[in-house]
Amino acid sequence: MLDRCLFVVAAPAAVVAERAQRLARFYGRGPLSLTDVPAAGAAVGCIGPESLVFGSPDPLGLGVVVAVEDDRVVVRTGATNVVALYAAGAAWSTHATAAAYLGTGRVELRDEAAAELAALGFVPGDATTLHGVRAVPAGTVVEVTRGGSRERQVPVDVAGHGAAEEELLDALREQTAGAAPLTLGLSGGLDSRAVAAGLADAGIAFEAVTWGADDWPDVAGARRVAAALGVPHRV
Protein backbone atom coordinates (compact mmCIF):
# COMPACT_ATOMS: atom_id res chain seq x y z
CA MET A 1 0.00 0.00 0.00
CA LEU A 2 2.94 2.33 0.57
CA ASP A 3 4.63 1.84 -2.80
CA ARG A 4 2.73 4.79 -4.22
CA CYS A 5 1.64 8.25 -3.17
CA LEU A 6 -1.23 10.44 -4.35
CA PHE A 7 -1.51 14.17 -3.71
CA VAL A 8 -3.52 17.27 -4.55
CA VAL A 9 -2.15 20.79 -4.02
CA ALA A 10 -4.14 24.00 -4.37
CA ALA A 11 -1.49 25.60 -6.60
CA PRO A 12 -0.49 25.41 -10.29
CA ALA A 13 1.69 22.50 -11.35
CA ALA A 14 4.55 24.88 -12.16
CA VAL A 15 4.64 25.91 -8.50
CA VAL A 16 4.37 22.36 -7.22
CA ALA A 17 6.82 20.71 -9.63
CA GLU A 18 10.11 21.24 -7.77
CA ARG A 19 8.81 19.96 -4.44
CA ALA A 20 7.05 17.04 -6.14
CA GLN A 21 10.22 16.04 -7.95
CA ARG A 22 12.21 16.10 -4.70
CA LEU A 23 9.53 13.93 -3.09
CA ALA A 24 9.74 11.43 -5.95
CA ARG A 25 13.50 11.14 -5.40
CA PHE A 26 12.95 10.81 -1.66
CA TYR A 27 10.45 7.97 -2.02
CA GLY A 28 12.38 6.29 -4.83
CA ARG A 29 9.26 4.39 -5.85
CA GLY A 30 8.95 5.05 -9.54
CA PRO A 31 8.14 7.98 -11.79
CA LEU A 32 6.31 11.18 -10.92
CA SER A 33 3.10 12.00 -12.76
CA LEU A 34 1.93 15.60 -12.35
CA THR A 35 -1.28 16.93 -13.87
CA ASP A 36 -2.21 20.63 -13.98
CA VAL A 37 -5.90 21.46 -13.48
CA PRO A 38 -6.09 25.17 -14.44
CA ALA A 39 -9.85 25.42 -13.93
CA ALA A 40 -9.40 24.56 -10.27
CA GLY A 41 -6.03 26.27 -9.78
CA ALA A 42 -4.66 22.97 -8.56
CA ALA A 43 -2.19 20.21 -9.35
CA VAL A 44 -2.79 16.50 -9.00
CA GLY A 45 0.12 14.10 -8.78
CA CYS A 46 1.16 10.57 -8.05
CA ILE A 47 4.45 8.87 -7.31
CA GLY A 48 4.67 5.18 -8.05
CA PRO A 49 4.31 2.56 -10.75
CA GLU A 50 3.74 3.80 -14.29
CA SER A 51 0.44 1.92 -14.36
CA LEU A 52 -0.86 4.21 -11.62
CA VAL A 53 -2.52 7.11 -13.44
CA PHE A 54 -4.55 10.06 -12.28
CA GLY A 55 -8.22 9.14 -12.02
CA SER A 56 -7.67 5.44 -11.45
CA PRO A 57 -10.17 4.10 -8.91
CA ASP A 58 -8.86 3.63 -5.39
CA PRO A 59 -5.24 2.83 -6.33
CA LEU A 60 -4.17 2.39 -2.71
CA GLY A 61 -7.00 0.07 -1.80
CA LEU A 62 -7.97 2.35 1.10
CA GLY A 63 -10.87 4.21 -0.46
CA VAL A 64 -9.07 7.39 -1.58
CA VAL A 65 -10.29 8.53 -5.00
CA VAL A 66 -9.21 11.70 -6.82
CA ALA A 67 -11.27 13.08 -9.71
CA VAL A 68 -11.78 16.29 -11.68
CA GLU A 69 -15.40 17.47 -11.69
CA ASP A 70 -16.08 20.57 -13.81
CA ASP A 71 -14.06 23.36 -12.20
CA ARG A 72 -12.87 21.46 -9.15
CA VAL A 73 -10.67 18.65 -7.96
CA VAL A 74 -12.48 16.28 -5.62
CA VAL A 75 -10.78 13.92 -3.18
CA ARG A 76 -12.91 11.32 -1.43
CA THR A 77 -11.87 9.16 1.51
CA GLY A 78 -13.40 5.75 2.02
CA ALA A 79 -15.73 4.33 4.63
CA THR A 80 -13.12 2.43 6.63
CA ASN A 81 -11.57 3.75 9.81
CA VAL A 82 -8.09 3.49 8.29
CA VAL A 83 -6.46 6.91 8.03
CA ALA A 84 -5.59 7.14 4.34
CA LEU A 85 -5.41 10.90 3.72
CA TYR A 86 -3.46 13.71 5.39
CA ALA A 87 -3.72 17.48 5.05
CA ALA A 88 -1.20 20.28 5.55
CA GLY A 89 -1.80 23.84 4.41
CA ALA A 90 -3.15 23.67 0.87
CA ALA A 91 -2.04 20.09 0.26
CA TRP A 92 -3.69 16.71 0.71
CA SER A 93 -1.82 13.43 0.32
CA THR A 94 -1.95 9.74 1.12
CA HIS A 95 1.38 10.21 2.95
CA ALA A 96 1.78 12.56 5.91
CA THR A 97 5.35 13.37 4.87
CA ALA A 98 4.26 14.34 1.36
CA ALA A 99 1.43 16.49 2.70
CA ALA A 100 3.83 18.31 5.03
CA TYR A 101 6.44 19.01 2.37
CA LEU A 102 4.01 19.96 -0.39
CA GLY A 103 1.90 22.13 1.90
CA THR A 104 4.54 23.81 4.05
CA GLY A 105 7.93 23.14 2.44
CA ARG A 106 9.26 21.40 5.53
CA VAL A 107 8.88 18.15 7.44
CA GLU A 108 9.32 18.50 11.18
CA LEU A 109 8.50 16.01 13.92
CA ARG A 110 6.37 17.18 16.84
CA ASP A 111 8.35 16.78 20.06
CA GLU A 112 5.24 15.91 22.03
CA ALA A 113 4.37 13.09 19.61
CA ALA A 114 7.15 10.94 21.09
CA ALA A 115 5.59 11.21 24.54
CA GLU A 116 2.11 10.49 23.16
CA LEU A 117 3.32 7.37 21.37
CA ALA A 118 5.23 6.16 24.43
CA ALA A 119 2.32 6.71 26.81
CA LEU A 120 -0.67 5.88 24.63
CA GLY A 121 0.65 3.89 21.70
CA PHE A 122 -1.00 6.33 19.28
CA VAL A 123 -1.31 10.05 18.53
CA PRO A 124 -4.73 11.22 19.78
CA GLY A 125 -7.32 13.12 17.79
CA ASP A 126 -6.58 14.16 14.24
CA ALA A 127 -2.99 15.11 15.07
CA THR A 128 -0.02 13.28 13.56
CA THR A 129 3.65 12.93 14.40
CA LEU A 130 4.45 15.87 12.10
CA HIS A 131 4.00 19.61 12.65
CA GLY A 132 1.12 21.13 10.72
CA VAL A 133 -0.22 17.81 9.44
CA ARG A 134 -3.61 16.40 10.40
CA ALA A 135 -5.36 13.16 9.59
CA VAL A 136 -8.47 13.45 7.41
CA PRO A 137 -11.26 11.21 8.72
CA ALA A 138 -13.18 8.59 6.76
CA GLY A 139 -16.22 9.76 4.83
CA THR A 140 -14.68 13.14 3.92
CA VAL A 141 -15.01 14.92 0.59
CA VAL A 142 -12.39 17.58 -0.17
CA GLU A 143 -13.22 20.06 -2.93
CA VAL A 144 -10.45 22.28 -4.33
CA THR A 145 -11.45 25.22 -6.55
CA ARG A 146 -9.99 28.57 -7.57
CA GLY A 147 -12.06 30.09 -4.79
CA GLY A 148 -10.41 27.94 -2.14
CA SER A 149 -11.05 24.55 -0.64
CA ARG A 150 -13.54 22.97 1.68
CA GLU A 151 -14.01 19.66 3.45
CA ARG A 152 -17.35 18.10 4.24
CA GLN A 153 -18.47 14.87 5.84
CA VAL A 154 -20.80 12.54 3.97
CA PRO A 155 -22.65 9.40 5.05
CA VAL A 156 -20.43 6.39 4.46
CA ASP A 157 -21.48 3.20 2.74
CA VAL A 158 -21.50 0.50 5.40
CA ALA A 159 -22.17 -2.35 2.98
CA GLY A 160 -19.85 -5.21 3.74
CA HIS A 161 -19.09 -4.16 7.31
CA GLY A 162 -21.00 -7.18 8.65
CA ALA A 163 -18.72 -9.52 6.73
CA ALA A 164 -15.67 -7.66 8.04
CA GLU A 165 -16.95 -8.08 11.60
CA GLU A 166 -17.37 -11.82 11.12
CA GLU A 167 -13.84 -12.04 9.73
CA LEU A 168 -12.51 -10.25 12.81
CA LEU A 169 -14.35 -12.62 15.17
CA ASP A 170 -13.12 -15.68 13.25
CA ALA A 171 -9.55 -14.37 13.39
CA LEU A 172 -9.78 -13.77 17.15
CA ARG A 173 -11.13 -17.29 17.74
CA GLU A 174 -8.33 -18.79 15.65
CA GLN A 175 -5.53 -16.78 17.26
CA THR A 176 -6.69 -17.41 20.84
CA ALA A 177 -7.60 -21.09 20.48
CA GLY A 178 -5.94 -23.08 23.26
CA ALA A 179 -4.29 -19.99 24.71
CA ALA A 180 -3.86 -19.38 28.41
CA PRO A 181 -6.14 -16.81 30.09
CA LEU A 182 -5.89 -13.65 28.04
CA THR A 183 -4.89 -10.15 29.10
CA LEU A 184 -5.73 -7.30 26.72
CA GLY A 185 -3.97 -3.94 26.83
CA LEU A 186 -6.97 -1.63 26.67
CA SER A 187 -6.82 2.11 25.95
CA GLY A 188 -9.34 4.71 24.93
CA GLY A 189 -8.26 4.25 21.31
CA LEU A 190 -10.17 2.62 18.49
CA ASP A 191 -7.97 -0.45 17.94
CA SER A 192 -8.08 -1.93 21.42
CA ARG A 193 -11.78 -1.09 21.79
CA ALA A 194 -12.52 -3.04 18.62
CA VAL A 195 -10.51 -6.05 19.83
CA ALA A 196 -12.18 -5.92 23.27
CA ALA A 197 -15.65 -5.83 21.73
CA GLY A 198 -14.67 -8.63 19.34
CA LEU A 199 -13.40 -10.86 22.14
CA ALA A 200 -16.59 -10.27 24.12
CA ASP A 201 -18.80 -10.97 21.10
CA ALA A 202 -16.86 -14.16 20.38
CA GLY A 203 -17.36 -15.35 23.96
CA ILE A 204 -13.63 -15.36 24.72
CA ALA A 205 -12.78 -14.66 28.37
CA PHE A 206 -10.15 -12.01 29.02
CA GLU A 207 -8.95 -9.43 31.50
CA ALA A 208 -8.26 -5.83 30.48
CA VAL A 209 -5.33 -3.83 31.79
CA THR A 210 -4.49 -0.15 31.23
CA TRP A 211 -1.23 1.61 32.05
CA GLY A 212 -1.45 5.14 33.47
CA ALA A 213 -2.77 7.30 36.26
CA ASP A 214 -6.40 7.22 37.36
CA ASP A 215 -7.07 10.72 36.06
CA TRP A 216 -5.72 10.07 32.55
CA PRO A 217 -8.40 10.30 29.81
CA ASP A 218 -7.12 7.04 28.33
CA VAL A 219 -7.65 5.23 31.64
CA ALA A 220 -11.14 6.66 32.02
CA GLY A 221 -12.01 5.63 28.48
CA ALA A 222 -10.72 2.09 29.01
CA ARG A 223 -12.65 1.82 32.28
CA ARG A 224 -15.89 2.75 30.49
CA VAL A 225 -15.27 0.18 27.76
CA ALA A 226 -14.53 -2.58 30.27
CA ALA A 227 -17.63 -1.73 32.31
CA ALA A 228 -19.83 -1.76 29.21
CA LEU A 229 -18.49 -5.17 28.20
CA GLY A 230 -18.56 -6.56 31.75
CA VAL A 231 -14.93 -7.66 31.80
CA PRO A 232 -12.41 -7.38 34.68
CA HIS A 233 -10.21 -4.31 34.40
CA ARG A 234 -7.21 -3.11 36.34
CA VAL A 235 -4.98 -0.06 36.04
Side-chain angles (χ1 to χ4, degrees):
M1 292 187 297
L2 297 179
D3 66 344
R4 57 201 66 186
C5 173
L6 294 180
F7 59 86
V8 174
V9 185
V15 175
V16 176
E18 182 179 356
R19 289 182 182 177
Q21 288 165 359
R22 291 192 65 185
L23 273 176
R25 292 194 295 272
F26 168 75
Y27 284 116
R29 291 170 176 152
L32 164 70
S33 174
L34 190 61
T35 302
D36 198 19
V37 188
V44 178
C46 60
I47 300 167
E50 289 186 84
S51 59
L52 177 62
V53 296
F54 162 59
S56 59
D58 193 13
L60 292 183
L62 294 176
V64 176
V65 178
V66 181
V68 175
E69 298 181 1
D70 298 326
D71 61 344
R72 65 196 62 218
V73 176
V74 180
V75 187
R76 294 182 175 87
T77 62
T80 71
N81 283 312
V82 176
V83 174
L85 188 68
Y86 300 88
W92 295 261
S93 176
T94 51
H95 287 199
T97 299
Y101 188 62
L102 291 167
T104 68
R106 66 191 181 106
V107 180
E108 184 180 351
L109 290 171
R110 293 170 51 239
D111 292 339
E112 58 268 38
E116 292 166 348
L117 288 171
L120 307 176
F122 65 96
V123 177
D126 65 353
T128 69
T129 57
L130 302 180
H131 273 292
V133 182
R134 59 185 173 82
V136 178
T140 300
V141 174
V142 181
E143 296 182 344
V144 181
T145 68
R146 280 194 171 277
S149 62
R150 71 180 184 121
E151 295 182 13
R152 55 186 173 88
Q153 293 292 118
V154 296
V156 296
D157 179 8
V158 297
H161 282 200
E165 182 176 346
E166 285 305 315
E167 287 189 15
L168 171 63
L169 298 184
D170 288 343
L172 289 173
R173 294 186 185 101
E174 179 181 347
Q175 293 177 24
T176 60
L182 299 176
T183 299
L184 173 68
L186 182 62
S187 72
L190 173 66
D191 295 341
S192 62
R193 291 205 315 268
V195 174
L199 289 171
D201 285 350
I204 301 169
F206 69 98
E207 175 193 39
V209 61
T210 305
W211 178 82
D214 279 339
D215 59 349
W216 285 18
D218 219 42
V219 172
R223 186 176 285 122
R224 287 193 297 269
V225 173
L229 296 176
V231 300
H233 177 244
R234 56 191 174 89
V235 177

